[in-house]
Amino acid sequence: MTVIKLIFVFSVLIFVVRQLAKIIREVNGEQFKNVLASQSKESLAIMLVIGFISIIPMLIYDFSIVKFLPTKFSPGYVVRSGWVVNTFTNLLGFGGLLGASLRAHFYGKGATRKQILYAISKVALFLVSGLSLLCFTALVMIFGFGIGTMFAHYWIWLVGGAAYFPSVFVFTKINNSNFFKDLTTRQELTMTLGSFLEWGSALGFFILIGFLMHLPIDLALVIPIFVVANVAGVVSMIPGGLGSFDIFIIIGLGFIGVARSDALVWILLYRLFYYLLPFIVGTILFVHDTGHKFNQFLDELPRIIIQRVAQVFLTGFMYFSGVMMLLFATVPNVVITNRLYIRLVPYSIFFVSHMMNIIVAFLLIGLGSGIWARTKRAFWPTVVVVILSILNTWFNEAFTWRMITVFVVILVTLWLSRGVLYRDRMANSWGALVLNSSIFIVTFVVYTMIGIAANRHSPLHFDAAYLFPSEAVWLIGFVGLLIAILVLFITNIYLTAYRPGWLSEPFDAKRVRGVIDKFGGNENSHLAFLRDKQIYFYQENGVDQVFFMYKQVADKLLIMGEPVGNPAKVGAAIDNFMTTADKQGLKLIFYEINQALTMQLHESGFDFIKTGEDGLVDLDQFTLSGKRHRGERALMHKFDREGFKFEVVSPPFTKEFMQTLKTISDEWLGNKGEKGFSLGFFDDYYLRQAPIAVMKNAAGEIVAFANIMPDGNKLTTSIDLMRSSAKAPSGIMDGVLINLYEESRKKGFKYFDLGMSPLSNVGTSRFSFTQERIVHLIYQYGYKFYSFEGLRSYKDKYVDKWESKYIAYYRGSSLVFSVLQVLLIVNRPRNQNPARIPKLWDLILDTDSKNHR
């Protein structure tokens, strides 16, 4: 039977192909093109909408099938699956086999093969019952009302078709087999109604196309021939009745006066909007369903890739369209003669209004930044702008079918990109600001220059007719440009709104000290009490475990040193902070961290660059005996002879004591500004948090001081501010340090931290990263600005152990911007206008503190 069926189908197919080829040869090609091109955009839009609506009645089959199966499916699932099944069957169905296979695929969960087969077979019996009723209707029209009598010779086709439904209905009622036991009259009538609506909506849509083509015929005569053609298509078992249906339609329409070129266009539009386009949507849904399963199998990786590609494409399109619109608005007479522009413009969108072109261009660019930053708030405004732009382009005289394809791709891309837009807000990155500002500035400057040149009264006037059509048009565009910058500014405010509260929480000394006292601190933890940084706490079960010290610059959070707190929770704390920051469009940069944390961050998507080495004095090994410290030994003897005394003063401090220190600090600073973040500055609150070491002369006057920075672990201690008065002799700071070494050893500390030697041992290998080798050149030849090697040499006389320090920045961020942002924060003088750009040598390092961070 299978062989016989295949022979029959291929025989019919060969006959159909030969007849169709004969008909096409007789068609006037030029006339066919003219008829197709004469269809208005409004008519095509109506066909598109009604064509999709005509498919909906087929879904009744799928809702009927699931009633015979044990598993319950959601209406949404049935609609999606039913659309796939019916559009595939329409175009590719082979005697219903494809539809049956697809329904078994979609609805087979939780059912046996027998249950699936029974359910599909019951529905299949009624798939053409609606066509059977239409055959009866056609017989009544021809032989009862005399409508379409020229088709009376097809009576045998119509009678055969009309007999199908009553035969099946009677058979199901008189048959007592188990197969029909659960098939009620109501279900049969429901499926019959669905089938009638399916075939009736297809007939109605076919007639609608003829009506929109404005053909001078009686459309009622189309009904009998449409019914006969579909009966022929069903009997042929060719997918969609392709060929057999077409031949009967073309011949039948010829009987009522429709030219063959018109008939071919009619069929083409019917096939396009009823078969092909719904099938494309069905294919997308099928790929989505299959892709969902494939995506789960590969742990969401395909979805991530597709959404990311869609986001990148959408951002690129928005910037591309914005630039194309700006070019057209800025120098229209130039771009319309540019071949490259003419070739690219069909893939863009544009407005007829000169002013709207400029405004929408910058709106697209502003929203494009939000899409690129994966901001949820950018999605719906983008949808509205793109759809309005598409509608505007649709009704423009320059509309082409190529644009339709582009618009469909854009709308699909919008839908795909939605899943990747997860951030609550956008943080302004330097890269986006530079790009968007550059576009506006270049546009403004070029547009203004053209306006000046176009003005006859300007001394720079020349004939600029080839640049711009008129001064009036230029003025309208200039107003649009001013409005556009306001639109861009408002768009940016909208995308960056709702700054989270944790970015501006007040300093809580109790919580900071609680973490340090419970888990210990590190060499930088004491800098928290400067209160010039924000603190982010990581909690578990409401208990503070770890905190970070950070400062925001643009879209970066610059974190000072290693996280402070429970070592076992550092990894979880970093992940939590990264996730929280990422939701706000912010990226983390870790500054001056050790090698272990750098490697840990590298596994979490960070790149890094070495910034120098931290010097540690081994207090157990330190001694003034021997040749190494012969000079320091003589210096200490000198201080003893001259009556200098060392003392460590513990808080609380008196007002007089603090005022003395303030006087020494101001004298030492002179006109130099203080800095913060990675090093201390003179702050009354900060200095009162830990002991202060002082040196007094023979008269008992304080001539030098240094504030102690304990790490909270009894392992390492350090100092921050080291300042002396004019009365202090040379080498007084060495005296403070040597005394502190001895004092710290007595208190049980293992190391004394002398701070960073910037750029030390960076890029010394010929295999080092290019960035690090550039840094090494600064170390070698930057002595004119700062004595890098001198600082290293000074610390070498004490240091026993050098530890590498790094900057870790989020992979994908610009290294140049990241480093500049670090330097801007680290080297910015306190109370200075943030907009000021420091000098090159200011951006290297600070020289006011022993830490030189």
mmCIF file of all heavy atoms in Angstrom, residues 280-321:
data_model
loop_
_atom_site.group_PDB
_atom_site.id
_atom_site.type_symbol
_atom_site.label_atom_id
_atom_site.label_comp_id
_atom_site.label_asym_id
_atom_site.label_seq_id
_atom_site.Cartn_x
_atom_site.Cartn_y
_atom_site.Cartn_z
ATOM 1 N N ILE A 280 6.797 30.265 8.579
ATOM 2 C CA ILE A 280 8.042 30.816 9.112
ATOM 3 C C ILE A 280 7.923 31.043 10.616
ATOM 4 O O ILE A 280 8.825 30.711 11.393
ATOM 5 C CB ILE A 280 8.404 32.130 8.384
ATOM 6 C CG1 ILE A 280 8.803 31.820 6.933
ATOM 7 C CG2 ILE A 280 9.540 32.861 9.102
ATOM 8 C CD1 ILE A 280 9.028 33.056 6.083
ATOM 9 N N VAL A 281 6.775 31.591 11.039
ATOM 10 C CA VAL A 281 6.539 31.774 12.472
ATOM 11 C C VAL A 281 6.508 30.428 13.183
ATOM 12 O O VAL A 281 7.076 30.258 14.275
ATOM 13 C CB VAL A 281 5.231 32.549 12.716
ATOM 14 C CG1 VAL A 281 4.899 32.608 14.203
ATOM 15 C CG2 VAL A 281 5.330 33.952 12.137
ATOM 16 N N GLY A 282 5.855 29.457 12.553
ATOM 17 C CA GLY A 282 5.827 28.108 13.128
ATOM 18 C C GLY A 282 7.219 27.514 13.237
ATOM 19 O O GLY A 282 7.542 26.832 14.222
ATOM 20 N N THR A 283 8.048 27.760 12.230
ATOM 21 C CA THR A 283 9.431 27.271 12.268
ATOM 22 C C THR A 283 10.191 27.887 13.436
ATOM 23 O O THR A 283 10.940 27.210 14.142
ATOM 24 C CB THR A 283 10.156 27.601 10.946
ATOM 25 O OG1 THR A 283 9.427 27.027 9.862
ATOM 26 C CG2 THR A 283 11.578 27.070 10.957
ATOM 27 N N ILE A 284 9.974 29.193 13.634
ATOM 28 C CA ILE A 284 10.639 29.872 14.760
ATOM 29 C C ILE A 284 10.194 29.264 16.083
ATOM 30 O O ILE A 284 11.010 29.003 16.976
ATOM 31 C CB ILE A 284 10.327 31.380 14.719
ATOM 32 C CG1 ILE A 284 10.978 32.018 13.483
ATOM 33 C CG2 ILE A 284 10.827 32.072 15.985
ATOM 34 C CD1 ILE A 284 10.563 33.459 13.252
ATOM 35 N N LEU A 285 8.883 28.996 16.210
ATOM 36 C CA LEU A 285 8.375 28.385 17.444
ATOM 37 C C LEU A 285 8.919 26.971 17.630
ATOM 38 O O LEU A 285 9.247 26.558 18.747
ATOM 39 C CB LEU A 285 6.843 28.357 17.421
ATOM 40 C CG LEU A 285 6.135 29.723 17.485
ATOM 41 C CD1 LEU A 285 4.632 29.551 17.312
ATOM 42 C CD2 LEU A 285 6.444 30.410 18.813
ATOM 43 N N PHE A 286 9.025 26.234 16.521
ATOM 44 C CA PHE A 286 9.556 24.870 16.594
ATOM 45 C C PHE A 286 11.032 24.883 16.991
ATOM 46 O O PHE A 286 11.472 24.095 17.839
ATOM 47 C CB PHE A 286 9.386 24.168 15.240
ATOM 48 C CG PHE A 286 9.877 22.753 15.232
ATOM 49 C CD1 PHE A 286 9.177 21.746 15.868
ATOM 50 C CD2 PHE A 286 11.072 22.426 14.590
ATOM 51 C CE1 PHE A 286 9.644 20.436 15.863
ATOM 52 C CE2 PHE A 286 11.545 21.135 14.584
ATOM 53 C CZ PHE A 286 10.827 20.120 15.214
ATOM 54 N N VAL A 287 11.781 25.800 16.374
ATOM 55 C CA VAL A 287 13.199 25.931 16.736
ATOM 56 C C VAL A 287 13.335 26.346 18.193
ATOM 57 O O VAL A 287 14.207 25.850 18.917
ATOM 58 C CB VAL A 287 13.892 26.966 15.817
ATOM 59 C CG1 VAL A 287 15.284 27.300 16.327
ATOM 60 C CG2 VAL A 287 13.963 26.436 14.390
ATOM 61 N N HIS A 288 12.433 27.221 18.634
ATOM 62 C CA HIS A 288 12.468 27.666 20.038
ATOM 63 C C HIS A 288 12.206 26.493 20.972
ATOM 64 O O HIS A 288 12.894 26.330 21.995
ATOM 65 C CB HIS A 288 11.425 28.762 20.250
ATOM 66 C CG HIS A 288 11.373 29.259 21.659
ATOM 67 N ND1 HIS A 288 10.499 28.733 22.590
ATOM 68 C CD2 HIS A 288 12.094 30.215 22.311
ATOM 69 C CE1 HIS A 288 10.679 29.350 23.751
ATOM 70 N NE2 HIS A 288 11.637 30.243 23.607
ATOM 71 N N ASP A 289 11.203 25.669 20.643
ATOM 72 C CA ASP A 289 10.890 24.519 21.494
ATOM 73 C C ASP A 289 12.034 23.515 21.504
ATOM 74 O O ASP A 289 12.466 23.046 22.563
ATOM 75 C CB ASP A 289 9.605 23.849 20.989
ATOM 76 C CG ASP A 289 9.255 22.606 21.789
ATOM 77 O OD1 ASP A 289 8.752 22.756 22.924
ATOM 78 O OD2 ASP A 289 9.498 21.488 21.291
ATOM 79 N N THR A 290 12.536 23.197 20.294
ATOM 80 C CA THR A 290 13.655 22.251 20.207
ATOM 81 C C THR A 290 14.898 22.854 20.843
ATOM 82 O O THR A 290 15.649 22.180 21.554
ATOM 83 C CB THR A 290 13.942 21.912 18.727
ATOM 84 O OG1 THR A 290 12.733 21.472 18.113
ATOM 85 C CG2 THR A 290 15.006 20.844 18.620
ATOM 86 N N GLY A 291 15.099 24.141 20.598
ATOM 87 C CA GLY A 291 16.254 24.824 21.180
ATOM 88 C C GLY A 291 16.193 24.868 22.693
ATOM 89 O O GLY A 291 17.228 24.823 23.363
ATOM 90 N N HIS A 292 14.975 24.967 23.248
ATOM 91 C CA HIS A 292 14.830 24.985 24.707
ATOM 92 C C HIS A 292 15.345 23.687 25.312
ATOM 93 O O HIS A 292 16.057 23.698 26.323
ATOM 94 C CB HIS A 292 13.359 25.203 25.065
ATOM 95 C CG HIS A 292 13.092 25.198 26.531
ATOM 96 N ND1 HIS A 292 13.521 26.206 27.369
ATOM 97 C CD2 HIS A 292 12.449 24.289 27.322
ATOM 98 C CE1 HIS A 292 13.155 25.920 28.612
ATOM 99 N NE2 HIS A 292 12.504 24.777 28.607
ATOM 100 N N LYS A 293 14.989 22.586 24.670
ATOM 101 C CA LYS A 293 15.472 21.288 25.170
ATOM 102 C C LYS A 293 16.982 21.163 24.966
ATOM 103 O O LYS A 293 17.707 20.677 25.839
ATOM 104 C CB LYS A 293 14.745 20.157 24.441
ATOM 105 C CG LYS A 293 13.240 20.155 24.706
ATOM 106 C CD LYS A 293 12.521 19.129 23.852
ATOM 107 C CE LYS A 293 11.002 19.201 24.101
ATOM 108 N NZ LYS A 293 10.255 18.275 23.227
ATOM 109 N N PHE A 294 17.448 21.591 23.810
ATOM 110 C CA PHE A 294 18.882 21.548 23.528
ATOM 111 C C PHE A 294 19.642 22.466 24.482
ATOM 112 O O PHE A 294 20.732 22.151 24.948
ATOM 113 C CB PHE A 294 19.108 21.982 22.072
ATOM 114 C CG PHE A 294 20.539 21.856 21.611
ATOM 115 C CD1 PHE A 294 21.148 20.625 21.497
ATOM 116 C CD2 PHE A 294 21.275 22.993 21.288
ATOM 117 C CE1 PHE A 294 22.457 20.504 21.070
ATOM 118 C CE2 PHE A 294 22.587 22.887 20.859
ATOM 119 C CZ PHE A 294 23.181 21.635 20.744
ATOM 120 N N ASN A 295 19.030 23.617 24.769
ATOM 121 C CA ASN A 295 19.638 24.597 25.668
ATOM 122 C C ASN A 295 19.784 24.026 27.075
ATOM 123 O O ASN A 295 20.811 24.214 27.730
ATOM 124 C CB ASN A 295 18.773 25.863 25.692
ATOM 125 C CG ASN A 295 19.365 26.952 26.549
ATOM 126 O OD1 ASN A 295 20.486 27.385 26.319
ATOM 127 N ND2 ASN A 295 18.615 27.393 27.542
ATOM 128 N N GLN A 296 18.749 23.335 27.554
ATOM 129 C CA GLN A 296 18.825 22.711 28.873
ATOM 130 C C GLN A 296 19.902 21.641 28.911
ATOM 131 O O GLN A 296 20.610 21.488 29.911
ATOM 132 C CB GLN A 296 17.473 22.113 29.250
ATOM 133 C CG GLN A 296 16.404 23.152 29.571
ATOM 134 C CD GLN A 296 15.085 22.513 29.944
ATOM 135 O OE1 GLN A 296 14.699 21.480 29.390
ATOM 136 N NE2 GLN A 296 14.370 23.122 30.874
ATOM 137 N N PHE A 297 20.040 20.911 27.806
ATOM 138 C CA PHE A 297 21.050 19.855 27.743
ATOM 139 C C PHE A 297 22.460 20.435 27.837
ATOM 140 O O PHE A 297 23.347 19.848 28.445
ATOM 141 C CB PHE A 297 20.879 19.071 26.436
ATOM 142 C CG PHE A 297 21.899 17.986 26.229
ATOM 143 C CD1 PHE A 297 21.831 16.804 26.953
ATOM 144 C CD2 PHE A 297 22.945 18.150 25.324
ATOM 145 C CE1 PHE A 297 22.775 15.802 26.773
ATOM 146 C CE2 PHE A 297 23.890 17.159 25.139
ATOM 147 C CZ PHE A 297 23.804 15.977 25.867
ATOM 148 N N LEU A 298 22.667 21.630 27.237
ATOM 149 C CA LEU A 298 23.991 22.267 27.235
ATOM 150 C C LEU A 298 24.116 23.355 28.299
ATOM 151 O O LEU A 298 24.923 24.279 28.164
ATOM 152 C CB LEU A 298 24.278 22.854 25.852
ATOM 153 C CG LEU A 298 24.473 21.835 24.722
ATOM 154 C CD1 LEU A 298 24.770 22.547 23.423
ATOM 155 C CD2 LEU A 298 25.596 20.848 25.045
ATOM 156 N N ASP A 299 23.299 23.258 29.345
ATOM 157 C CA ASP A 299 23.434 24.125 30.516
ATOM 158 C C ASP A 299 23.315 25.606 30.152
ATOM 159 O O ASP A 299 24.122 26.440 30.572
ATOM 160 C CB ASP A 299 24.770 23.850 31.218
ATOM 161 C CG ASP A 299 24.809 24.410 32.635
ATOM 162 O OD1 ASP A 299 23.735 24.566 33.223
ATOM 163 O OD2 ASP A 299 25.914 24.690 33.127
ATOM 164 N N GLU A 300 22.276 25.957 29.347
ATOM 165 C CA GLU A 300 21.924 27.346 29.031
ATOM 166 C C GLU A 300 22.934 28.064 28.123
ATOM 167 O O GLU A 300 22.754 29.238 27.822
ATOM 168 C CB GLU A 300 21.766 28.175 30.322
ATOM 169 C CG GLU A 300 20.673 27.688 31.250
ATOM 170 C CD GLU A 300 19.279 27.959 30.709
ATOM 171 O OE1 GLU A 300 19.024 29.090 30.288
ATOM 172 O OE2 GLU A 300 18.459 27.034 30.693
ATOM 173 N N LEU A 301 23.986 27.396 27.670
ATOM 174 C CA LEU A 301 25.008 28.069 26.870
ATOM 175 C C LEU A 301 24.471 28.580 25.530
ATOM 176 O O LEU A 301 24.745 29.734 25.154
ATOM 177 C CB LEU A 301 26.207 27.136 26.651
ATOM 178 C CG LEU A 301 27.411 27.761 25.940
ATOM 179 C CD1 LEU A 301 27.947 28.943 26.741
ATOM 180 C CD2 LEU A 301 28.506 26.724 25.733
ATOM 181 N N PRO A 302 23.696 27.798 24.751
ATOM 182 C CA PRO A 302 23.174 28.333 23.481
ATOM 183 C C PRO A 302 22.304 29.568 23.677
ATOM 184 O O PRO A 302 22.384 30.519 22.899
ATOM 185 C CB PRO A 302 22.346 27.154 22.933
ATOM 186 C CG PRO A 302 22.952 25.946 23.565
ATOM 187 C CD PRO A 302 23.365 26.383 24.931
ATOM 188 N N ARG A 303 21.460 29.576 24.711
ATOM 189 C CA ARG A 303 20.606 30.739 24.965
ATOM 190 C C ARG A 303 21.444 31.983 25.239
ATOM 191 O O ARG A 303 21.166 33.064 24.711
ATOM 192 C CB ARG A 303 19.696 30.459 26.165
ATOM 193 C CG ARG A 303 18.791 31.643 26.515
ATOM 194 C CD ARG A 303 18.005 31.378 27.788
ATOM 195 N NE ARG A 303 18.879 31.239 28.936
ATOM 196 C CZ ARG A 303 19.389 32.253 29.619
ATOM 197 N NH1 ARG A 303 19.124 33.506 29.257
ATOM 198 N NH2 ARG A 303 20.172 32.047 30.656
ATOM 199 N N ILE A 304 22.483 31.813 26.052
ATOM 200 C CA ILE A 304 23.339 32.945 26.391
ATOM 201 C C ILE A 304 23.996 33.511 25.133
ATOM 202 O O ILE A 304 24.051 34.727 24.931
ATOM 203 C CB ILE A 304 24.403 32.514 27.418
ATOM 204 C CG1 ILE A 304 23.733 32.172 28.760
ATOM 205 C CG2 ILE A 304 25.446 33.604 27.617
ATOM 206 C CD1 ILE A 304 24.670 31.537 29.762
ATOM 207 N N ILE A 305 24.484 32.608 24.267
ATOM 208 C CA ILE A 305 25.162 33.046 23.045
ATOM 209 C C ILE A 305 24.190 33.776 22.119
ATOM 210 O O ILE A 305 24.482 34.865 21.601
ATOM 211 C CB ILE A 305 25.794 31.843 22.325
ATOM 212 C CG1 ILE A 305 26.949 31.257 23.166
ATOM 213 C CG2 ILE A 305 26.311 32.248 20.945
ATOM 214 C CD1 ILE A 305 27.525 29.991 22.607
ATOM 215 N N ILE A 306 22.988 33.205 21.922
ATOM 216 C CA ILE A 306 22.002 33.799 21.015
ATOM 217 C C ILE A 306 21.561 35.167 21.532
ATOM 218 O O ILE A 306 21.481 36.143 20.770
ATOM 219 C CB ILE A 306 20.788 32.866 20.848
ATOM 220 C CG1 ILE A 306 21.203 31.614 20.052
ATOM 221 C CG2 ILE A 306 19.642 33.579 20.140
ATOM 222 C CD1 ILE A 306 20.136 30.547 19.985
ATOM 223 N N GLN A 307 21.271 35.250 22.823
ATOM 224 C CA GLN A 307 20.827 36.525 23.387
ATOM 225 C C GLN A 307 21.916 37.576 23.312
ATOM 226 O O GLN A 307 21.654 38.753 23.044
ATOM 227 C CB GLN A 307 20.375 36.326 24.834
ATOM 228 C CG GLN A 307 19.066 35.550 24.963
ATOM 229 C CD GLN A 307 18.645 35.386 26.400
ATOM 230 O OE1 GLN A 307 19.448 35.529 27.325
ATOM 231 N NE2 GLN A 307 17.385 35.071 26.619
ATOM 232 N N ARG A 308 23.159 37.156 23.544
ATOM 233 C CA ARG A 308 24.267 38.103 23.478
ATOM 234 C C ARG A 308 24.464 38.605 22.051
ATOM 235 O O ARG A 308 24.653 39.813 21.828
ATOM 236 C CB ARG A 308 25.544 37.424 23.980
ATOM 237 C CG ARG A 308 26.789 38.289 23.918
ATOM 238 C CD ARG A 308 26.671 39.530 24.752
ATOM 239 N NE ARG A 308 27.928 40.269 24.803
ATOM 240 C CZ ARG A 308 28.052 41.515 25.206
ATOM 241 N NH1 ARG A 308 26.977 42.193 25.618
ATOM 242 N NH2 ARG A 308 29.222 42.112 25.225
ATOM 243 N N VAL A 309 24.377 37.691 21.071
ATOM 244 C CA VAL A 309 24.507 38.088 19.666
ATOM 245 C C VAL A 309 23.374 39.046 19.290
ATOM 246 O O VAL A 309 23.594 40.057 18.616
ATOM 247 C CB VAL A 309 24.504 36.848 18.749
ATOM 248 C CG1 VAL A 309 24.376 37.258 17.288
ATOM 249 C CG2 VAL A 309 25.770 36.026 18.958
ATOM 250 N N ALA A 310 22.145 38.744 19.754
ATOM 251 C CA ALA A 310 21.005 39.608 19.466
ATOM 252 C C ALA A 310 21.204 40.987 20.071
ATOM 253 O O ALA A 310 20.914 42.013 19.439
ATOM 254 C CB ALA A 310 19.716 38.980 20.011
ATOM 255 N N GLN A 311 21.718 41.031 21.302
ATOM 256 C CA GLN A 311 21.954 42.315 21.968
ATOM 257 C C GLN A 311 22.998 43.139 21.219
ATOM 258 O O GLN A 311 22.812 44.338 20.988
ATOM 259 C CB GLN A 311 22.410 42.068 23.406
ATOM 260 C CG GLN A 311 22.771 43.335 24.152
ATOM 261 C CD GLN A 311 23.961 43.161 25.061
ATOM 262 O OE1 GLN A 311 24.582 42.103 25.105
ATOM 263 N NE2 GLN A 311 24.295 44.198 25.799
ATOM 264 N N VAL A 312 24.088 42.486 20.816
ATOM 265 C CA VAL A 312 25.153 43.188 20.089
ATOM 266 C C VAL A 312 24.629 43.688 18.743
ATOM 267 O O VAL A 312 24.884 44.834 18.344
ATOM 268 C CB VAL A 312 26.369 42.261 19.885
ATOM 269 C CG1 VAL A 312 27.395 42.907 18.962
ATOM 270 C CG2 VAL A 312 27.020 41.926 21.228
ATOM 271 N N PHE A 313 23.870 42.830 18.040
ATOM 272 C CA PHE A 313 23.321 43.217 16.735
ATOM 273 C C PHE A 313 22.367 44.389 16.885
ATOM 274 O O PHE A 313 22.407 45.349 16.098
ATOM 275 C CB PHE A 313 22.599 42.027 16.095
ATOM 276 C CG PHE A 313 21.887 42.380 14.810
ATOM 277 C CD1 PHE A 313 22.594 42.483 13.622
ATOM 278 C CD2 PHE A 313 20.523 42.623 14.798
ATOM 279 C CE1 PHE A 313 21.944 42.815 12.439
ATOM 280 C CE2 PHE A 313 19.868 42.959 13.629
ATOM 281 C CZ PHE A 313 20.578 43.052 12.438
ATOM 282 N N LEU A 314 21.488 44.339 17.892
ATOM 283 C CA LEU A 314 20.512 45.400 18.096
ATOM 284 C C LEU A 314 21.203 46.719 18.432
ATOM 285 O O LEU A 314 20.839 47.777 17.897
ATOM 286 C CB LEU A 314 19.540 45.014 19.214
ATOM 287 C CG LEU A 314 18.411 46.004 19.501
ATOM 288 C CD1 LEU A 314 17.550 46.198 18.262
ATOM 289 C CD2 LEU A 314 17.562 45.515 20.660
ATOM 290 N N THR A 315 22.215 46.654 19.294
ATOM 291 C CA THR A 315 22.962 47.870 19.628
ATOM 292 C C THR A 315 23.630 48.444 18.385
ATOM 293 O O THR A 315 23.581 49.650 18.126
ATOM 294 C CB THR A 315 24.026 47.577 20.693
ATOM 295 O OG1 THR A 315 23.397 46.979 21.838
ATOM 296 C CG2 THR A 315 24.739 48.843 21.121
ATOM 297 N N GLY A 316 24.265 47.565 17.601
ATOM 298 C CA GLY A 316 24.920 48.008 16.372
ATOM 299 C C GLY A 316 23.942 48.641 15.406
ATOM 300 O O GLY A 316 24.232 49.676 14.789
ATOM 301 N N PHE A 317 22.745 48.025 15.274
ATOM 302 C CA PHE A 317 21.740 48.571 14.365
ATOM 303 C C PHE A 317 21.287 49.953 14.810
ATOM 304 O O PHE A 317 21.119 50.866 13.986
ATOM 305 C CB PHE A 317 20.532 47.639 14.281
ATOM 306 C CG PHE A 317 19.363 48.233 13.532
ATOM 307 C CD1 PHE A 317 19.358 48.256 12.154
ATOM 308 C CD2 PHE A 317 18.290 48.786 14.216
ATOM 309 C CE1 PHE A 317 18.301 48.822 11.461
ATOM 310 C CE2 PHE A 317 17.232 49.355 13.542
ATOM 311 C CZ PHE A 317 17.227 49.362 12.142
ATOM 312 N N MET A 318 21.091 50.137 16.117
ATOM 313 C CA MET A 318 20.606 51.422 16.628
ATOM 314 C C MET A 318 21.651 52.524 16.406
ATOM 315 O O MET A 318 21.320 53.634 16.009
ATOM 316 C CB MET A 318 20.232 51.296 18.100
ATOM 317 C CG MET A 318 19.035 50.373 18.326
ATOM 318 S SD MET A 318 18.665 50.057 20.055
ATOM 319 C CE MET A 318 17.972 51.637 20.548
ATOM 320 N N TYR A 319 22.915 52.201 16.662
ATOM 321 C CA TYR A 319 23.967 53.193 16.408
ATOM 322 C C TYR A 319 24.100 53.441 14.904
ATOM 323 O O TYR A 319 24.266 54.585 14.461
ATOM 324 C CB TYR A 319 25.295 52.711 16.980
ATOM 325 C CG TYR A 319 25.535 53.146 18.408
ATOM 326 C CD1 TYR A 319 25.095 52.378 19.476
ATOM 327 C CD2 TYR A 319 26.191 54.337 18.697
ATOM 328 C CE1 TYR A 319 25.297 52.781 20.794
ATOM 329 C CE2 TYR A 319 26.408 54.750 19.995
ATOM 330 C CZ TYR A 319 25.953 53.963 21.041
ATOM 331 O OH TYR A 319 26.151 54.371 22.331
ATOM 332 N N PHE A 320 24.028 52.378 14.104
ATOM 333 C CA PHE A 320 24.123 52.507 12.651
ATOM 334 C C PHE A 320 23.000 53.387 12.106
ATOM 335 O O PHE A 320 23.243 54.324 11.325
ATOM 336 C CB PHE A 320 24.058 51.113 12.014
ATOM 337 C CG PHE A 320 23.819 51.114 10.525
ATOM 338 C CD1 PHE A 320 24.832 51.464 9.642
ATOM 339 C CD2 PHE A 320 22.579 50.768 10.024
ATOM 340 C CE1 PHE A 320 24.602 51.467 8.273
ATOM 341 C CE2 PHE A 320 22.338 50.764 8.655
ATOM 342 C CZ PHE A 320 23.359 51.117 7.783
ATOM 343 N N SER A 321 21.773 53.118 12.544
ATOM 344 C CA SER A 321 20.641 53.918 12.076
ATOM 345 C C SER A 321 20.771 55.356 12.536
ATOM 346 O O SER A 321 20.465 56.299 11.784
ATOM 347 C CB SER A 321 19.325 53.324 12.603
ATOM 348 O OG SER A 321 19.028 52.126 11.949
#
